[in-house]
Amino acid sequence: MLDFSAVLPYLHMFGAGTLITIRASIVAVLLGLAIGVVMGALRVLPFALPLRMLAAAYVYVIRGTPLLIQLFFIYFGLPSLGLNLPAFTSGVIGLGINSGGYVAEIVRGGIEAVPKGQWEAAKVLGLSYLQTMRYIILPQAIRNMLPAFGNEFVTLVKESSLLSTLAITELTMVGQQVRSVTYASFETFTLVGLIYLMLTSVTSNALSWIEKRWQVR
């Protein structure tokens, strides 16, 4: 039978860990979104082959290597090259770069899902490439991207638990600390799981609301 009495005195630590998880997730989402939009746009450029190849290589490497290794590379590997970053900064950059690889594919897929007739119509109207992207392609492509964006952001919130491997006192690390003191493993990680479930539910519902609003427009 569950007995949370041993865990309840540490609720303030869970609260602090949750705030760090939220903060890291928000910054990483924004970073991943910025990187992903740029890389995704480069992947569908009809010109500038070297830029397309650079973006493709980035996506290939990021999607082909584990997130944990990417985090270790930034936090433990870069200091050997003379670049020392704090643990939180390394973790957020690692999450953002990783997410950027997946967002880039979402952007590419969303743009390529727009019917080719739209491009041809814009060409007939005499619009430039940038004007076509801005006024015709992107408004339609974003509607295609929103569900995938939602999945990626929810995944990123869950993957933020890997920041505990860098000794960042986010939610999972707090759970490990509380478990080591109380020995109430089942109750501790039940509580940690419920908090993650709450965070992902709020994120998912917020994105569903945005998706519906965007579809109405």
Side-chain angles (χ1 to χ4, degrees):
M1 185 174 178
L2 291 176
D3 180 9
F4 288 93
S5 59
V7 177
L8 290 179
Y10 300 95
L11 284 180
H12 65 286
M13 291 178 62
F14 286 105
T18 301
L19 290 177
I20 292 176
T21 292
I22 293 172
R23 183 177 156 209
S25 298
I26 290 174
V27 177
V29 162
L30 295 176
L31 179 60
L33 195 59
I35 294 173
V37 168
V38 172
M39 290 297 173
L42 291 179
R43 293 210 66 189
V44 297
L45 274 180
F47 45 85
L49 178 62
L51 291 178
R52 285 209 311 273
M53 292 178 64
L54 175 67
Y58 167 78
V59 172
Y60 181 77
V61 171
I62 292 299
R63 297 181 68 189
T65 55
L67 172 58
L68 185 59
I69 299 302
Q70 295 165 17
L71 292 174
F72 284 172
F73 177 80
I74 293 173
Y75 186 57
F76 297 113
L78 290 185
S80 64
L81 302 177
L83 182 58
N84 290 285
L85 297 174
F88 183 83
T89 303
S90 298
V92 168
I93 290 176
L95 284 177
I97 289 176
N98 180 271
S99 180
Y102 292 91
V103 171
E105 283 301 89
I106 294 171
V107 172
R108 181 187 64 80
I111 292 174
E112 290 183 345
V114 177
K116 293 188 182 299
Q118 301 289 316
W119 289 94
E120 295 168 356
K123 188 175 181 179
V124 170
L125 292 173
L127 298 180
S128 67
Y129 178 80
L130 290 178
Q131 288 173 326
T132 302
M133 285 292 286
R134 179 179 177 184
Y135 296 113
I136 297 179
I137 303 302
L138 283 182
Q140 300 177 70
I142 289 174
R143 290 188 177 92
N144 299 330
M145 299 173 197
L146 284 176
F149 276 150
N151 291 333
E152 171 58 23
F153 295 160
V154 168
T155 298
L156 191 147
V157 171
K158 292 185 289 185
E159 288 182 336
S160 69
S161 63
L162 289 176
L163 297 183
S164 62
T165 61
L166 305 185
I168 298 172
T169 52
E170 46 70 67
L171 184 55
T172 301
M173 173 58 81
V174 168
Q176 294 177 16
Q177 292 174 342
V178 172
R179 182 202 58 80
S180 66
V181 175
T182 63
Y183 299 102
S185 301
F186 195 83
E187 290 81 359
T188 297
F189 289 112
T190 296
L191 182 58
V192 170
L194 289 173
I195 295 174
Y196 273 115
L197 185 61
M198 180 185 67
L199 293 177
T200 55
S201 296
V202 170
T203 303
S204 182
N205 289 330
L207 291 168
S208 295
W209 181 81
I210 293 173
E211 183 181 341
K212 289 177 182 175
R213 296 278 296 179
W214 190 275
Q215 296 292 349
V216 169
R217 289 175 63 186

